[in-house]
Amino acid sequence: MAETAESLPVSTEPQARHVVYCGVCTLPPEYCEFGGTVKKCEEWLEKHHPDMHERFYSQDAIAASLSTLSVDAQKRAAKDAAKKAAKATAAEERAAEKKASSKILIKRVERNKRKYVTAVSGLEAFGLDLKKVSKDFGKKFATGSSVTKVAGGTGEEIVVQGDLSDEIWEMLVEGEGYGVPEDNVDCVEDKKKKSAG
C-alpha cells in the first residue's frame, strides 16, 4: 500500500536555516552596522532584499530601536552614527585618491636575443582580480600568462609571453570592461644588462 503524507513520521531534527549574508561586508544584515560600510550595506540590501531592508532600516524600525534607549544613550548613538558616516566618507575619498594616483606599469622584458615577456604590475589598485585578468590575457592573445610574485616582495604581477605591451595597453584602456584611465598606464622597456666579458 502507498503511504499518504499524513502517515509519514514527522522529523524532530532541526531543519537547516537559510541565512542571508551581505554582499558588501559578508556579515548577516543584522550585523552590518558593525562592519564599517553601513551606507553601502544598506544600499545593497535595498537592491537585493527589499523586505529585509524595510525590516531593518524603515523609520518605524529605527524609532523602535531608539525608543528603548535613554536620552543620553540616544545622543551617543546619534554622535556615533555621525562619526561612522564621516569615517566611511573619508575612507571612500582615500580609496578614490589612491586609485587616481596609482600607476599600472607594462614592462617589456628581454629574455633571450629575440624573446620577450611582458610584465604588468599595479592592477590591484584598480580592484582587478589578477587571476581573472591573467586568464583573459592568455585567451585574448593566445599565449601563456601567469600571476607571479614580484622579486622585491612588494606584490604580484602578471607575466605574459611575448611582446604584447601595446596590445595590453589597448585592452586595459579602451575596452574589455577594465576602464583604466589612460593617464594611469605607463609602458616601459626593460633590457637585460649585457655581461662585460
Side-chain angles (χ1 to χ4, degrees):
M1 274 195 346
E3 292 185 23
T4 61
E6 292 114 25
S7 64
L8 289 175
V10 178
S11 174
T12 58
E13 293 181 23
Q15 299 297 314
R17 282 196 180 184
H18 176 71
V19 178
V20 175
Y21 291 100
C22 177
V24 177
C25 68
T26 68
L27 294 171
E30 299 90 1
Y31 300 104
C32 282
E33 64 184 283
F34 304 111
T37 55
V38 180
K39 191 166 182 70
K40 288 182 181 178
C41 292
E42 183 180 349
E43 291 168 0
W44 181 88
L45 194 64
E46 185 176 20
K47 183 178 179 185
H48 293 90
H49 298 282
D51 55 326
M52 290 182 99
H53 180 269
E54 184 67 27
R55 194 169 70 202
F56 295 125
Y57 294 104
S58 69
Q59 292 298 327
D60 296 335
I62 294 171
S65 64
L66 287 177
S67 67
T68 60
L69 299 175
S70 66
V71 176
D72 291 337
Q74 286 180 5
K75 288 179 184 176
R76 274 183 285 166
K79 192 176 181 182
D80 288 346
K83 199 183 279 186
K84 282 185 181 180
K87 202 176 204 181
T89 307
E92 287 177 16
E93 288 174 2
R94 278 196 306 272
E97 187 178 304
K98 183 179 178 186
K99 187 174 179 179
S101 66
S102 297
K103 291 278 188 190
I104 294 177
L105 285 178
I106 302 173
K107 287 193 292 189
R108 185 180 95 165
V109 182
E110 185 177 356
R111 284 192 318 139
N112 291 336
K113 294 178 184 174
R114 291 190 313 257
K115 305 269 185 187
Y116 293 95
V117 293
T118 305
V120 183
S121 59
L123 292 169
E124 306 94 3
F126 293 90
L128 299 174
D129 181 23
L130 292 181
K131 289 186 179 183
K132 182 184 177 303
V133 174
S134 172
K135 195 169 189 172
D136 290 348
F137 285 166
K139 285 180 182 177
K140 171 106 174 151
F141 306 124
T143 63
S145 178
S146 63
V147 178
T148 59
K149 293 190 187 282
V150 178
T154 57
E156 294 180 326
E157 66 182 3
I158 297 175
V159 177
V160 183
Q161 292 179 359
D163 179 14
L164 300 167
S165 52
D166 295 334
E167 290 87 348
I168 290 175
W169 185 88
E170 287 177 12
M171 187 173 173
L172 289 174
V173 172
E174 295 173 359
E176 306 288 332
Y178 297 115
V180 177
E182 189 174 334
D183 298 338
N184 293 22
V185 182
D186 287 338
C187 290
V188 179
E189 185 169 344
D190 187 18
K191 289 190 174 182
K192 263 192 172 177
K193 295 175 184 165
K194 294 187 179 179
S195 57

